[in-house]
Amino acid sequence: MKEVKLVPFTYKNEKQIAVKFGYDDSIRIHLKKLLDIKWSNSNKTFYIKYSSENKIKVYKHLRAINCLIDYSELKTVLPNITKTQSFKLPKLNEHQTTDLQRFKKWLQQKRLSENTVNTYVEVTSFFIRYAALKNTLNYSKRLIESFNYDFIVQLNKSISYQNQCINGIKKFLDYKGVEVEALELERPRKEKKLPVVLNIEELKQIFDQTHNIKHKTLLSLIYSAGLRIGEAINLKVKDIDSKRMLIHIRGAKGKKDRYTLLSEMFLDLLRIYYKQYKPKVYLFEGQGGEQYSSSSAQSVLKSAVSKAGLKKQVTLHTLRHSFATHLLENGTDIRYIQELLGHSSPKTTMIYTHVSETSIRKIKNPFDNL
Protein backbone atom coordinates (compact mmCIF):
# COMPACT_ATOMS: atom_id res chain seq x y z
CA MET A 1 0.00 0.00 0.00
CA LYS A 2 1.22 3.49 -0.85
CA GLU A 3 1.95 5.57 2.23
CA VAL A 4 0.74 9.16 2.58
CA LYS A 5 1.06 11.52 5.55
CA LEU A 6 -1.34 14.36 6.39
CA VAL A 7 0.45 17.16 8.25
CA PRO A 8 -0.84 20.53 9.52
CA PHE A 9 1.15 23.62 8.56
CA THR A 10 0.67 27.35 8.13
CA TYR A 11 0.84 28.83 4.64
CA LYS A 12 -0.28 32.28 3.46
CA ASN A 13 -1.24 33.07 7.07
CA GLU A 14 -3.80 30.25 7.15
CA LYS A 15 -3.76 26.78 8.64
CA GLN A 16 -3.48 24.13 5.92
CA ILE A 17 -3.20 20.35 5.57
CA ALA A 18 -0.11 19.23 3.68
CA VAL A 19 -0.27 15.91 1.81
CA LYS A 20 3.18 14.30 2.03
CA PHE A 21 4.23 11.25 0.01
CA GLY A 22 7.20 9.87 -1.90
CA TYR A 23 7.34 10.49 -5.63
CA ASP A 24 4.38 8.65 -7.15
CA ASP A 25 2.64 9.68 -10.36
CA SER A 26 -0.58 7.81 -9.59
CA ILE A 27 -1.04 9.66 -6.27
CA ARG A 28 -0.12 13.01 -7.85
CA ILE A 29 -2.62 12.57 -10.71
CA HIS A 30 -5.34 11.36 -8.35
CA LEU A 31 -4.82 14.27 -5.95
CA LYS A 32 -5.18 16.80 -8.78
CA LYS A 33 -8.73 15.52 -9.28
CA LEU A 34 -9.69 16.62 -5.77
CA LEU A 35 -11.65 19.84 -5.57
CA ASP A 36 -9.83 22.69 -3.73
CA ILE A 37 -6.45 20.89 -3.56
CA LYS A 38 -3.48 23.13 -4.47
CA TRP A 39 0.26 22.80 -5.08
CA SER A 40 2.87 24.91 -3.28
CA ASN A 41 6.14 25.30 -5.18
CA SER A 42 7.90 26.79 -2.18
CA ASN A 43 6.90 23.91 0.13
CA LYS A 44 6.93 21.24 -2.58
CA THR A 45 3.65 19.78 -1.39
CA PHE A 46 -0.03 19.52 -2.18
CA TYR A 47 -2.19 21.26 0.41
CA ILE A 48 -5.78 22.10 1.27
CA LYS A 49 -7.37 24.45 3.79
CA TYR A 50 -7.48 22.97 7.29
CA SER A 51 -11.02 21.95 8.24
CA SER A 52 -12.85 18.90 9.55
CA GLU A 53 -14.62 18.51 6.22
CA ASN A 54 -11.36 18.66 4.26
CA LYS A 55 -9.69 16.10 6.54
CA ILE A 56 -12.41 13.62 5.70
CA LYS A 57 -12.47 14.60 2.03
CA VAL A 58 -8.72 14.07 1.56
CA TYR A 59 -8.78 10.83 3.53
CA LYS A 60 -11.62 9.31 1.51
CA HIS A 61 -10.12 10.50 -1.78
CA LEU A 62 -6.78 8.80 -1.04
CA ARG A 63 -8.41 5.64 0.32
CA ALA A 64 -10.09 5.25 -3.06
CA ILE A 65 -6.67 4.33 -4.51
CA ASN A 66 -5.76 2.14 -1.54
CA CYS A 67 -3.31 4.47 0.21
CA LEU A 68 -2.19 3.85 3.77
CA ILE A 69 -2.71 7.22 5.48
CA ASP A 70 -0.91 8.51 8.56
CA TYR A 71 -3.07 11.30 9.98
CA SER A 72 -1.67 11.16 13.55
CA GLU A 73 -0.29 14.72 13.42
CA LEU A 74 -3.77 16.09 12.74
CA LYS A 75 -4.73 14.92 16.24
CA THR A 76 -8.17 13.84 15.10
CA VAL A 77 -10.25 10.73 14.54
CA LEU A 78 -11.64 10.33 11.05
CA PRO A 79 -14.77 8.27 10.31
CA ASN A 80 -14.62 4.83 8.69
CA ILE A 81 -10.97 4.33 9.67
CA THR A 82 -10.27 0.78 10.67
CA LYS A 83 -8.91 0.89 14.20
CA THR A 84 -6.26 -1.75 13.61
CA GLN A 85 -4.11 0.00 16.23
CA SER A 86 -6.47 -1.43 18.87
CA PHE A 87 -5.17 -4.90 18.05
CA LYS A 88 -1.54 -3.83 17.52
CA LEU A 89 -1.44 -5.94 14.38
CA PRO A 90 2.08 -6.99 13.34
CA LYS A 91 3.45 -5.73 10.04
CA LEU A 92 3.45 -7.96 6.99
CA ASN A 93 6.72 -9.80 6.50
CA GLU A 94 8.44 -10.05 3.12
CA HIS A 95 6.84 -13.40 2.27
CA GLN A 96 3.34 -12.16 3.18
CA THR A 97 3.82 -8.98 1.16
CA THR A 98 4.87 -10.99 -1.90
CA ASP A 99 1.94 -13.37 -1.46
CA LEU A 100 -0.46 -10.44 -1.19
CA GLN A 101 0.91 -8.97 -4.42
CA ARG A 102 0.39 -12.30 -6.17
CA PHE A 103 -3.14 -12.45 -4.76
CA LYS A 104 -3.81 -9.00 -6.23
CA LYS A 105 -2.63 -10.14 -9.67
CA TRP A 106 -4.80 -13.25 -9.32
CA LEU A 107 -7.84 -11.05 -8.61
CA GLN A 108 -7.01 -8.80 -11.57
CA GLN A 109 -6.91 -11.86 -13.82
CA LYS A 110 -10.48 -12.56 -12.68
CA ARG A 111 -11.29 -9.16 -14.25
CA LEU A 112 -12.75 -7.73 -11.06
CA SER A 113 -13.08 -3.95 -10.86
CA GLU A 114 -10.14 -1.94 -9.51
CA ASN A 115 -12.13 -0.85 -6.45
CA THR A 116 -13.13 -4.43 -5.66
CA VAL A 117 -9.55 -5.65 -6.05
CA ASN A 118 -8.21 -2.93 -3.75
CA THR A 119 -10.89 -3.61 -1.14
CA TYR A 120 -10.26 -7.38 -1.14
CA VAL A 121 -6.49 -6.91 -0.89
CA GLU A 122 -6.86 -4.43 1.99
CA VAL A 123 -9.20 -6.72 3.92
CA THR A 124 -6.97 -9.73 3.30
CA SER A 125 -3.95 -7.77 4.53
CA PHE A 126 -5.72 -7.13 7.84
CA PHE A 127 -6.83 -10.76 8.04
CA ILE A 128 -3.29 -12.11 7.45
CA ARG A 129 -1.91 -9.77 10.13
CA TYR A 130 -4.72 -10.80 12.48
CA ALA A 131 -3.81 -14.46 11.93
CA ALA A 132 -0.17 -13.61 12.70
CA LEU A 133 -1.32 -11.92 15.90
CA LYS A 134 -3.09 -15.15 16.85
CA ASN A 135 0.08 -17.06 15.88
CA THR A 136 -1.64 -19.37 13.42
CA LEU A 137 -1.54 -20.23 9.72
CA ASN A 138 -4.69 -22.35 9.99
CA TYR A 139 -7.32 -20.23 8.22
CA SER A 140 -10.24 -21.94 9.92
CA LYS A 141 -13.86 -20.94 10.24
CA ARG A 142 -13.23 -20.21 13.92
CA LEU A 143 -10.39 -17.78 13.08
CA ILE A 144 -12.55 -16.00 10.52
CA GLU A 145 -15.42 -15.70 12.99
CA SER A 146 -13.02 -14.32 15.60
CA PHE A 147 -11.65 -11.81 13.07
CA ASN A 148 -15.21 -10.89 12.11
CA TYR A 149 -16.16 -10.18 15.74
CA ASP A 150 -12.99 -8.27 16.74
CA PHE A 151 -12.51 -6.42 13.49
CA ILE A 152 -16.09 -5.71 12.34
CA VAL A 153 -18.75 -6.28 15.00
CA GLN A 154 -16.83 -4.72 17.91
CA LEU A 155 -15.92 -1.69 15.77
CA ASN A 156 -19.54 -1.34 14.62
CA LYS A 157 -18.72 -1.62 10.92
CA SER A 158 -21.58 -1.63 8.42
CA ILE A 159 -23.20 -4.82 7.15
CA SER A 160 -22.04 -3.86 3.66
CA TYR A 161 -18.41 -3.67 4.84
CA GLN A 162 -18.80 -6.99 6.68
CA ASN A 163 -19.99 -8.63 3.46
CA GLN A 164 -17.01 -7.17 1.60
CA CYS A 165 -14.68 -8.63 4.23
CA ILE A 166 -16.19 -12.08 3.94
CA ASN A 167 -16.08 -11.91 0.14
CA GLY A 168 -12.43 -10.83 0.21
CA ILE A 169 -11.40 -13.58 2.64
CA LYS A 170 -13.27 -16.21 0.60
CA LYS A 171 -11.42 -15.09 -2.53
CA PHE A 172 -8.11 -15.30 -0.66
CA LEU A 173 -8.89 -18.82 0.58
CA ASP A 174 -9.85 -19.81 -2.95
CA TYR A 175 -6.51 -18.41 -4.16
CA LYS A 176 -4.71 -20.44 -1.46
CA GLY A 177 -6.54 -23.62 -2.49
CA VAL A 178 -8.57 -23.91 0.73
CA GLU A 179 -12.00 -25.53 0.33
CA VAL A 180 -14.19 -22.48 0.92
CA GLU A 181 -17.63 -24.10 0.84
CA ALA A 182 -16.68 -26.50 3.62
CA LEU A 183 -16.23 -23.52 5.96
CA GLU A 184 -19.89 -22.52 5.48
CA LEU A 185 -19.21 -18.81 5.81
CA GLU A 186 -22.45 -16.82 5.96
CA ARG A 187 -22.97 -13.21 5.00
CA PRO A 188 -25.32 -11.09 7.13
CA ARG A 189 -28.45 -9.84 5.45
CA LYS A 190 -28.37 -6.26 4.31
CA GLU A 191 -30.86 -3.76 5.63
CA LYS A 192 -33.59 -3.14 3.09
CA LYS A 193 -33.79 0.63 2.97
CA LEU A 194 -35.90 2.47 0.42
CA PRO A 195 -34.02 4.92 -1.81
CA VAL A 196 -34.32 8.66 -1.33
CA VAL A 197 -36.18 10.20 -4.27
CA LEU A 198 -36.41 13.86 -5.29
CA ASN A 199 -39.53 15.35 -6.82
CA ILE A 200 -39.41 17.47 -9.97
CA GLU A 201 -39.47 20.77 -8.05
CA GLU A 202 -36.52 19.70 -5.89
CA LEU A 203 -34.54 18.69 -8.99
CA LYS A 204 -35.23 22.07 -10.57
CA GLN A 205 -33.96 23.80 -7.43
CA ILE A 206 -30.71 21.81 -7.56
CA PHE A 207 -30.13 22.57 -11.25
CA ASP A 208 -31.02 26.26 -10.75
CA GLN A 209 -28.37 26.49 -8.00
CA THR A 210 -25.71 24.95 -10.28
CA HIS A 211 -24.39 27.84 -12.34
CA ASN A 212 -21.19 26.35 -13.79
CA ILE A 213 -22.15 24.88 -17.17
CA LYS A 214 -19.92 21.80 -16.79
CA HIS A 215 -21.34 21.03 -13.35
CA LYS A 216 -24.93 21.55 -14.50
CA THR A 217 -24.39 19.33 -17.55
CA LEU A 218 -22.90 16.52 -15.48
CA LEU A 219 -25.70 16.52 -12.87
CA SER A 220 -28.33 16.79 -15.61
CA LEU A 221 -26.78 13.82 -17.42
CA ILE A 222 -26.87 11.59 -14.34
CA TYR A 223 -30.57 12.33 -13.80
CA SER A 224 -31.73 12.39 -17.44
CA ALA A 225 -30.00 9.09 -18.31
CA GLY A 226 -30.22 7.36 -14.92
CA LEU A 227 -26.46 6.82 -14.69
CA ARG A 228 -24.17 5.72 -11.90
CA ILE A 229 -21.44 8.31 -11.30
CA GLY A 230 -18.77 5.90 -12.56
CA GLU A 231 -20.69 5.47 -15.81
CA ALA A 232 -21.05 9.24 -16.23
CA ILE A 233 -17.36 10.09 -15.79
CA ASN A 234 -16.31 7.12 -17.96
CA LEU A 235 -18.39 8.37 -20.89
CA LYS A 236 -16.46 9.44 -23.95
CA VAL A 237 -17.51 11.98 -26.55
CA LYS A 238 -18.05 9.20 -29.10
CA ASP A 239 -20.60 7.50 -26.80
CA ILE A 240 -23.22 10.20 -27.47
CA ASP A 241 -25.41 9.15 -30.42
CA SER A 242 -27.46 12.25 -31.19
CA LYS A 243 -28.93 10.74 -34.38
CA ARG A 244 -30.52 7.82 -32.55
CA MET A 245 -30.94 9.88 -29.33
CA LEU A 246 -29.14 7.24 -27.30
CA ILE A 247 -26.14 7.09 -24.97
CA HIS A 248 -23.84 4.07 -25.17
CA ILE A 249 -22.73 2.89 -21.72
CA ARG A 250 -19.67 0.66 -22.06
CA GLY A 251 -18.38 -1.88 -19.55
CA ALA A 252 -20.77 -0.87 -16.77
CA LYS A 253 -21.45 -2.87 -13.60
CA GLY A 254 -21.17 -6.57 -14.38
CA LYS A 255 -19.02 -5.65 -17.39
CA LYS A 256 -22.14 -5.13 -19.50
CA ASP A 257 -22.75 -2.61 -22.26
CA ARG A 258 -26.16 -1.00 -22.66
CA TYR A 259 -27.94 1.95 -24.21
CA THR A 260 -29.93 4.54 -22.30
CA LEU A 261 -31.97 7.61 -23.20
CA LEU A 262 -30.56 10.87 -24.56
CA SER A 263 -32.95 13.65 -23.58
CA GLU A 264 -33.64 16.36 -26.18
CA MET A 265 -33.48 19.10 -23.56
CA PHE A 266 -30.27 17.65 -22.19
CA LEU A 267 -28.78 17.50 -25.70
CA ASP A 268 -29.30 21.28 -26.04
CA LEU A 269 -27.44 21.81 -22.75
CA LEU A 270 -24.72 19.35 -23.81
CA ARG A 271 -24.07 21.25 -27.05
CA ILE A 272 -23.61 24.52 -25.14
CA TYR A 273 -21.19 22.77 -22.77
CA TYR A 274 -19.29 21.12 -25.62
CA LYS A 275 -18.75 24.39 -27.50
CA GLN A 276 -17.39 26.02 -24.35
CA TYR A 277 -15.15 23.23 -23.01
CA LYS A 278 -14.36 21.19 -26.17
CA PRO A 279 -13.55 17.87 -24.38
CA LYS A 280 -11.17 15.68 -26.37
CA VAL A 281 -11.65 12.11 -25.12
CA TYR A 282 -13.80 11.91 -22.00
CA LEU A 283 -17.07 13.81 -22.11
CA PHE A 284 -16.15 15.38 -18.77
CA GLU A 285 -12.50 16.16 -18.23
CA GLY A 286 -10.62 17.65 -15.31
CA GLN A 287 -7.43 19.68 -15.42
CA GLY A 288 -4.99 18.59 -18.11
CA GLY A 289 -7.59 16.51 -19.94
CA GLU A 290 -7.72 13.85 -17.24
CA GLN A 291 -10.92 12.06 -16.36
CA TYR A 292 -13.24 14.05 -14.06
CA SER A 293 -13.38 12.71 -10.50
CA SER A 294 -16.43 11.38 -8.68
CA SER A 295 -15.45 13.27 -5.49
CA SER A 296 -15.55 16.57 -7.39
CA ALA A 297 -18.99 15.70 -8.75
CA GLN A 298 -20.23 14.87 -5.26
CA SER A 299 -18.90 18.19 -3.93
CA VAL A 300 -20.76 20.03 -6.70
CA LEU A 301 -24.03 18.30 -5.82
CA LYS A 302 -23.56 18.85 -2.09
CA SER A 303 -23.06 22.56 -2.66
CA ALA A 304 -26.17 22.82 -4.86
CA VAL A 305 -28.33 20.88 -2.37
CA SER A 306 -27.15 23.17 0.44
CA LYS A 307 -27.91 26.33 -1.56
CA ALA A 308 -31.34 24.96 -2.46
CA GLY A 309 -32.05 24.42 1.24
CA LEU A 310 -33.08 20.77 0.81
CA LYS A 311 -33.15 18.65 3.97
CA LYS A 312 -33.07 15.23 2.29
CA GLN A 313 -29.88 13.16 2.30
CA VAL A 314 -29.02 13.61 -1.38
CA THR A 315 -26.18 11.83 -3.18
CA LEU A 316 -25.35 11.42 -6.85
CA HIS A 317 -27.11 8.06 -6.78
CA THR A 318 -30.28 9.86 -5.62
CA LEU A 319 -30.48 11.39 -9.11
CA ARG A 320 -30.46 7.88 -10.63
CA HIS A 321 -33.13 6.71 -8.17
CA SER A 322 -35.25 9.75 -9.06
CA PHE A 323 -34.94 9.03 -12.82
CA ALA A 324 -36.19 5.45 -12.34
CA THR A 325 -39.05 6.47 -10.03
CA HIS A 326 -40.25 9.23 -12.35
CA LEU A 327 -40.22 6.85 -15.33
CA LEU A 328 -42.37 4.41 -13.35
CA GLU A 329 -44.78 7.18 -12.30
CA ASN A 330 -45.10 8.21 -15.95
CA GLY A 331 -46.27 4.71 -16.87
CA THR A 332 -43.05 3.21 -18.27
CA ASP A 333 -43.02 -0.59 -18.16
CA ILE A 334 -40.69 -1.78 -15.39
CA ARG A 335 -38.93 -4.15 -17.82
CA TYR A 336 -37.79 -1.15 -19.89
CA ILE A 337 -36.64 0.63 -16.75
CA GLN A 338 -34.61 -2.46 -15.85
CA GLU A 339 -32.87 -2.29 -19.25
CA LEU A 340 -32.19 1.44 -19.02
CA LEU A 341 -30.66 1.09 -15.53
CA GLY A 342 -28.64 -2.00 -16.44
CA HIS A 343 -30.10 -4.17 -13.67
CA SER A 344 -29.42 -7.88 -14.14
CA SER A 345 -32.51 -8.85 -12.14
CA PRO A 346 -36.02 -7.32 -12.20
CA LYS A 347 -36.07 -7.74 -8.40
CA THR A 348 -33.57 -4.88 -8.11
CA THR A 349 -35.78 -2.60 -10.20
CA MET A 350 -38.93 -3.54 -8.29
CA ILE A 351 -37.78 -1.45 -5.31
CA TYR A 352 -38.99 1.65 -7.16
CA THR A 353 -42.59 0.42 -6.92
CA HIS A 354 -42.27 1.01 -3.16
CA VAL A 355 -41.41 4.70 -3.54
CA SER A 356 -43.63 5.59 -6.49
CA GLU A 357 -46.22 8.21 -5.54
CA THR A 358 -48.54 7.01 -8.33
CA SER A 359 -48.65 3.46 -6.97
CA ILE A 360 -49.23 4.59 -3.39
CA ARG A 361 -51.93 7.11 -4.34
CA LYS A 362 -53.97 4.37 -6.05
CA ILE A 363 -54.44 2.63 -2.71
CA LYS A 364 -57.76 3.45 -1.06
CA ASN A 365 -57.25 4.35 2.61
CA PRO A 366 -59.83 2.40 4.70
CA PHE A 367 -60.16 5.39 7.08
CA ASP A 368 -61.89 7.25 4.24
CA ASN A 369 -64.75 4.73 4.35
CA LEU A 370 -65.69 5.54 7.94
Side-chain angles (χ1 to χ4, degrees):
M1 297 173 75
K2 302 161 185 174
E3 295 188 4
V4 179
K5 194 168 187 177
L6 304 184
V7 181
F9 81 118
T10 302
Y11 183 56
K12 295 183 177 178
N13 296 321
E14 285 191 334
K15 196 172 182 181
Q16 314 283 355
I17 300 172
V19 185
K20 303 284 188 179
F21 57 95
Y23 182 80
D24 189 301
D25 261 341
S26 62
I27 297 178
R28 179 183 60 81
I29 292 169
H30 187 66
L31 270 176
K32 287 172 71 175
K33 295 177 183 179
L34 183 62
L35 200 67
D36 300 325
I37 199 81
K38 296 176 182 176
W39 171 258
S40 166
N41 273 322
S42 56
N43 292 283
K44 302 297 180 188
T45 185
F46 283 98
Y47 70 96
I48 193 168
K49 188 175 180 180
Y50 193 102
S51 70
S52 298
E53 184 178 298
N54 282 342
K55 291 175 195 175
I56 296 169
K57 185 162 67 173
V58 173
Y59 173 81
K60 288 184 175 179
H61 190 68
L62 290 168
R63 286 300 297 114
I65 58 169
N66 204 33
C67 289
L68 183 64
I69 304 160
D70 178 359
Y71 58 94
S72 57
E73 292 191 34
L74 295 182
K75 296 180 180 179
T76 188
V77 176
L78 299 178
N80 300 321
I81 295 176
T82 306
K83 300 174 184 176
T84 52
Q85 295 85 352
S86 303
F87 307 114
K88 297 181 181 177
L89 295 181
K91 290 185 177 181
L92 294 170
N93 60 37
E94 187 175 343
H95 171 73
Q96 290 167 334
T97 301
T98 302
D99 198 31
L100 207 57
Q101 289 170 346
R102 288 173 181 164
F103 173 55
K104 183 173 184 177
K105 289 179 181 177
W106 183 83
L107 290 172
Q108 290 169 335
Q109 289 170 0
K110 300 287 183 184
R111 297 301 183 95
L112 300 177
S113 73
E114 185 179 354
N115 282 342
T116 300
V117 169
N118 288 337
T119 299
Y120 286 179
V121 169
E122 179 189 40
V123 165
T124 302
S125 168
F126 292 133
F127 177 65
I128 291 171
R129 293 163 64 195
Y130 183 84
L133 180 69
K134 299 295 182 180
N135 198 28
T136 181
L137 291 175
N138 179 21
Y139 299 140
S140 63
K141 182 179 180 180
R142 185 172 180 178
L143 177 69
I144 296 168
E145 288 175 344
S146 175
F147 171 77
N148 176 59
Y149 182 77
D150 287 343
F151 191 81
I152 300 169
V153 178
Q154 283 280 71
L155 299 179
N156 200 28
K157 296 292 180 182
S158 68
I159 289 175
S160 177
Y161 184 76
Q162 184 172 348
N163 282 326
Q164 284 182 318
C165 286
I166 293 172
N167 289 339
I169 292 170
K170 287 184 76 170
K171 286 291 184 185
F172 178 66
L173 295 179
D174 187 20
Y175 158 75
K176 297 292 286 185
V178 177
E179 184 58 48
V180 177
E181 297 305 322
L183 295 175
E184 299 179 354
L185 298 176
E186 294 183 4
R187 299 178 183 85
R189 289 186 179 181
K190 290 184 179 179
E191 297 173 294
K192 292 186 177 179
K193 292 184 178 180
L194 293 178
V196 174
V197 174
L198 298 168
N199 59 44
I200 296 298
E201 186 57 40
E202 289 169 331
L203 284 163
K204 285 180 179 177
Q205 290 174 11
I206 287 173
F207 296 141
D208 287 345
Q209 293 297 334
T210 311
H211 304 296
N212 179 289
I213 186 66
K214 179 193 280 188
H215 298 164
K216 179 175 284 192
T217 306
L218 176 57
L219 297 184
S220 299
L221 169 68
I222 295 171
Y223 168 68
S224 69
L227 301 186
R228 302 175 179 95
I229 179 55
E231 294 168 350
I233 61 178
N234 283 332
L235 272 181
K236 296 183 178 178
V237 176
K238 64 181 181 181
D239 295 329
I240 304 297
D241 188 344
S242 57
K243 290 184 179 178
R244 297 170 63 204
M245 294 303 291
L246 295 171
I247 301 173
H248 191 181
I249 312 300
R250 304 174 191 269
K253 192 173 183 179
K255 307 207 182 317
K256 295 180 294 185
D257 284 14
R258 74 177 190 278
Y259 283 97
T260 189
L261 306 176
L262 175 60
S263 155
E264 290 184 9
M265 283 186 64
F266 170 73
L267 183 58
D268 291 338
L269 180 63
L270 182 63
R271 282 172 172 153
I272 296 170
Y273 157 74
Y274 184 81
K275 287 178 182 177
Q276 184 172 332
Y277 282 87
K278 297 181 174 59
K280 301 292 188 298
V281 180
Y282 290 103
L283 191 61
F284 297 96
E285 296 174 341
Q287 295 178 355
E290 297 158 1
Q291 188 179 16
Y292 201 73
S293 73
S294 58
S295 58
S296 295
Q298 187 62 60
S299 295
V300 167
L301 178 62
K302 184 179 178 182
S303 174
V305 169
S306 176
K307 289 176 183 175
L310 302 182
K311 302 303 180 185
K312 291 181 179 178
Q313 293 294 315
V314 180
T315 67
L316 292 167
H317 217 67
T318 304
L319 301 180
R320 174 174 157 92
H321 289 320
S322 302
F323 166 80
T325 305
H326 296 163
L327 282 179
L328 187 64
E329 291 176 345
N330 289 334
T332 307
D333 190 299
I334 199 159
R335 289 170 296 179
Y336 294 135
I337 300 174
Q338 179 190 344
E339 289 295 322
L340 292 172
L341 295 178
H343 287 161
S344 56
S345 168
K347 290 181 180 178
T348 309
T349 319
M350 285 296 290
I351 194 171
Y352 298 109
T353 62
H354 298 289
V355 291
S356 166
E357 284 186 14
T358 307
S359 302
I360 295 171
R361 283 176 181 173
K362 286 180 181 177
I363 301 171
K364 179 72 174 175
N365 194 312
F367 188 83
D368 295 334
N369 295 326
L370 297 180

